[in-house]
Amino acid sequence: MSPSSGKRRSTHALWRSIAERPWILALAVLLALVLLPVAVWLDLRNLSDAGLTTQARTLNAMVSEIRAYYGSNVVGRVQGYTGDSVAVHNYEDVPGAIPIPATLSLELGGVIAGRGGGDVDYRFVSDLAFANRAPHRLDAFETAALASFRQSRAPDAVVTDLSGSLFERQIRMAVPVVMGQACVSCHNTHPESPKRDWQVGDVRGIQAITVHQPIARNLFSFKYLFLYFAGAGAFGAAFAGLQWRQANDFRRMNTELEEANGFLASISMKISKYLSPQIYKSIFSGEKDVVISTERKKLTIFFSDIKDFTETAEHLQPEELTSLLNEYFTEMSTIAQAHGATVDKFIGDAILAFFGDPETRGAREDANACLDMAIAMQKRMVELKSRWRRRGIEKPFEVRMGINTGYCNVGNFGSADRMDYTIIGAEANLAARLQGIAQPGGIVISYETWAHVQDRVRVRRLEPITLKGIPGEIVPYAVEGLHEVETAAPQTISEEDEGLVLHLDIAKLDADARRKVEAVLEKALGAVRMQEHGKGDKA
């Protein structure tokens, strides 16, 4: 095994261990929630420290520069002059003079702007400059602020403006420069003053401060938040990798399960062909265990057999016989399933079925359902015999049926490796014996079955029979029809004898067909009557 594959297996085992312990993931999420405000607080403190440091450095530089300006342009000029000092705007041209407040403000603006590191700008501007000075150029913000101040005449008014771009923000603040009494006296008498009617409270100009704040400069102040997000990103990537791996595992398992389910479904469908629907359902639903076990229950047993099957088989090719027998079993099984019968097995050409297990509706209802099934089978046999004759089958199948009701052992019989769900008991043998004494196309029932269906069926009592293993005589009953059927005209007439083959399905006849049938029957009746009167030979 290579080192890389061993490392991958170790990593996979680690993540699987974490996935199997959800409390670890919950603890990691809780820790992340706790660390986020901690990281934000640390960065805010760091940002505050950086801002305070920058402000302190800028303020220190500006104070130092102002002190130097004051020392050279105020103190130095006064100390070196023996006369009286005056405050004038052109102080540099007058020995011992010092700057007036307006001039001082203008020159300090340049000092502050020069020592603000480009982050602080200061302007002392007016639209009414002295005659010997260059006019001030006011931008839109300064013009609007000056107009607002002169309109309101409020000495404490402030105008601000926030602007900037994605990487830089700035704030501009303007306050009014209000004329005092000394300022009014000087400006109204000064020969270079642009205006001589100043009054106390008038707005001479504005004092504007602009502070620039580059965003990128403070980008690295969020180092703790960056570390937090880096850790969260790494954890998220690892978690996403785990989810991706698990998704692949689940996808592979789903594929394997689908293949296994498909295989099991195919196998179960094949197995279902060997079991009755009730047994198949009870086994695959878990209602019954596949173990050797039996119960004693009251069942109604059905047994059918084909008359002279061996003789009929000798006149058919094996392929044709197989097709015919499979068609017969299919038709009979469909009827048995529709009536709720449990088809036990096919014994050669015989069918063994019963009612009462694994589901039962009660002994009486089971017996009636079995009788209805047998009658439906015989009716279907009439139709099948007609179909088979049209296919060229000279002697189609004729079926005899026997029905008995009694207690049998039912369940799984066999060995631990091979078992069969079936019934055992003398009552099953009696059903087979009753079938043996039935007429082709007929149904014979036992007294126990007749006791449950006597209010519905018309029967003919047969001679008593004896059966090995059952004491006393057994009285069989041949079924001749149902009472409710006798009240209505028969819809199907089927008779077969030497020289007679008749199958008539009245329900399928339309008006033309009925007239044709009447003509054929009258012709046949006439021929029979002529034969009776000795005229048949002459004809």
Side-chain angles (χ1 to χ4, degrees):
M1 182 178 64
S2 63
S4 59
S5 62
K7 184 177 181 180
R8 285 195 301 270
R9 289 186 179 181
S10 299
T11 304
H12 182 67
L14 174 62
W15 282 113
R16 175 168 293 181
S17 176
I18 295 175
E20 292 174 351
R21 296 171 176 83
W23 62 268
I24 298 179
L25 182 60
L27 183 61
V29 173
L30 180 61
L31 183 62
L33 293 176
V34 172
L35 289 178
L36 178 59
V38 173
V40 172
W41 181 81
L42 290 173
D43 282 332
L44 288 176
R45 190 182 67 173
N46 190 36
L47 182 63
S48 177
D49 293 344
L52 290 174
T53 302
T54 301
Q55 292 175 11
R57 289 176 180 174
T58 302
L59 182 60
N60 179 68
M62 288 191 296
V63 170
S64 298
E65 195 67 22
I66 291 173
R67 185 174 61 250
Y69 173 85
Y70 178 77
S72 62
N73 293 285
V74 177
V75 176
R77 294 180 66 84
V78 172
Q79 287 180 343
Y81 183 67
T82 57
D84 294 332
S85 295
V86 295
V88 293
H89 69 282
N90 56 340
Y91 69 97
E92 293 179 346
D93 299 332
V94 180
I98 60 175
I100 62 175
T103 302
L104 178 64
S105 298
L106 289 172
E107 293 183 352
L108 284 179
V111 172
I112 293 173
R115 298 299 298 177
D119 293 339
V120 180
D121 293 331
Y122 175 84
R123 278 170 59 85
F124 186 88
V125 293
S126 175
D127 57 347
L128 298 172
F130 273 36
N132 65 338
R133 291 184 178 274
H136 298 167
R137 294 181 179 179
L138 279 70
D139 58 22
F141 170 75
E142 295 168 338
T143 301
L146 183 59
S148 174
F149 294 150
R150 285 176 175 168
Q151 182 179 4
S152 65
R153 295 179 62 83
D156 57 348
V158 178
V159 175
T160 58
D161 176 63
L162 285 169
S163 61
S165 62
L166 180 63
F167 301 102
E168 183 179 13
R169 301 296 294 171
Q170 72 174 15
I171 181 172
R172 301 187 69 185
M173 179 180 293
V175 296
V177 178
V178 182
M179 300 286 284
Q181 182 60 48
C183 296
V184 170
S185 299
C186 176
H187 281 69
N188 286 340
T189 60
H190 199 285
E192 296 180 0
S193 176
K195 183 179 178 182
R196 303 295 178 87
D197 57 349
W198 292 102
Q199 297 180 6
V200 176
D202 286 347
V203 178
R204 175 71 175 83
I206 63 171
Q207 179 177 279
I209 297 177
T210 303
V211 179
H212 302 271
Q213 182 65 57
I215 297 177
R217 179 182 299 173
N218 298 320
L219 186 62
F220 293 102
S221 298
F222 297 94
K223 58 183 179 181
Y224 295 105
L225 202 56
F226 287 157
L227 290 175
Y228 174 83
F229 283 123
F235 180 80
F239 185 75
L242 173 63
Q243 295 298 314
W244 177 78
R245 182 185 294 273
Q246 287 182 335
N248 285 339
D249 291 342
F250 284 135
R251 190 179 300 110
R252 185 181 66 255
M253 287 189 293
N254 286 336
T255 301
E256 293 174 355
L257 286 175
E258 289 177 359
E259 294 176 354
N261 288 338
F263 175 76
L264 291 176
S266 174
I267 293 298
S268 64
M269 288 300 296
K270 294 177 181 178
I271 293 176
S272 67
K273 304 300 182 181
Y274 293 89
L275 301 172
S276 64
Q278 297 90 334
I279 302 304
Y280 170 81
K281 178 182 176 182
S282 62
I283 291 176
F284 280 86
S285 65
E287 295 177 9
K288 279 187 174 293
D289 293 330
V290 186
V291 295
I292 298 176
S293 63
T294 61
E295 296 179 84
R296 187 163 178 80
K297 289 187 176 182
K298 192 169 189 178
L299 308 176
T300 296
I301 304 101
F302 168 88
F303 196 95
S304 68
D305 191 34
I306 299 175
K307 174 181 177 294
D308 298 331
F309 177 76
T310 303
E311 180 181 351
T312 302
E314 292 176 352
H315 294 81
L316 297 174
Q317 295 297 324
E319 297 81 4
E320 190 173 29
L321 176 63
T322 301
S323 175
L324 199 65
L325 191 60
N326 288 336
E327 182 179 1
Y328 162 72
F329 282 142
T330 299
E331 295 285 348
M332 298 300 104
S333 297
T334 301
I335 296 174
Q337 183 176 350
H339 286 80
T342 299
V343 178
D344 187 327
K345 59 174 67 71
F346 302 118
I347 309 171
D349 59 308
I351 299 175
L352 174 61
F354 54 85
F355 289 78
D357 191 78
E359 299 175 355
T360 180
R361 290 170 286 180
R364 182 178 181 83
E365 291 299 322
D366 290 341
N368 279 274
C370 186
L371 177 63
D372 292 338
M373 178 192 72
I375 293 174
M377 287 180 172
Q378 291 293 16
K379 289 182 178 180
R380 184 57 179 160
M381 284 303 301
V382 173
E383 299 173 357
L384 290 176
K385 286 191 293 185
S386 176
R387 180 198 300 176
W388 291 336
R389 287 193 184 95
R390 290 194 298 270
R391 281 164 46 183
I393 306 300
E394 181 181 0
K395 291 185 177 182
F397 296 155
E398 290 186 301
V399 182
R400 298 177 298 198
M401 301 178 181
I403 301 174
N404 178 41
T405 301
Y407 282 92
C408 292
N409 290 326
V410 57
N412 295 324
F413 294 86
S415 66
D417 299 326
R418 176 72 169 86
M419 59 187 65
D420 188 19
Y421 179 83
T422 186
I423 58 175
I424 293 177
E427 304 296 341
N429 298 334
L430 176 57
R433 180 67 182 275
L434 294 175
Q435 168 274 138
I437 64 173
Q439 293 295 321
I443 305 170
V444 174
I445 63 177
S446 67
Y447 174 83
E448 288 75 9
T449 302
W450 175 78
H452 291 298
V453 301
Q454 58 180 322
D455 57 338
R456 297 182 55 225
V457 68
R458 181 168 58 87
V459 298
R460 176 171 50 87
R461 178 170 173 157
L462 302 179
E463 293 295 328
I465 61 173
T466 57
L467 184 64
K468 184 179 180 180
I470 298 179
E473 293 183 337
I474 304 298
V475 180
Y477 296 86
V479 176
E480 295 185 347
L482 297 177
H483 292 313
E484 56 264 31
V485 176
E486 297 174 5
T487 59
Q491 296 296 309
T492 303
I493 301 175
S494 182
E495 295 291 341
E496 183 176 355
D497 204 344
E498 188 69 28
L500 173 63
V501 177
L502 174 62
H503 176 72
L504 182 60
D505 192 343
I506 301 175
K508 295 182 180 180
L509 300 178
D510 55 15
D512 293 337
R514 282 196 297 271
R515 286 191 292 269
K516 183 177 180 180
V517 169
E518 290 177 359
V520 171
L521 292 177
E522 289 178 356
K523 181 177 179 182
L525 182 59
V528 171
R529 289 174 177 173
M530 289 178 63
Q531 179 69 24
E532 291 178 352
H533 292 82
K535 298 180 179 180
D537 294 337
K538 295 180 180 181

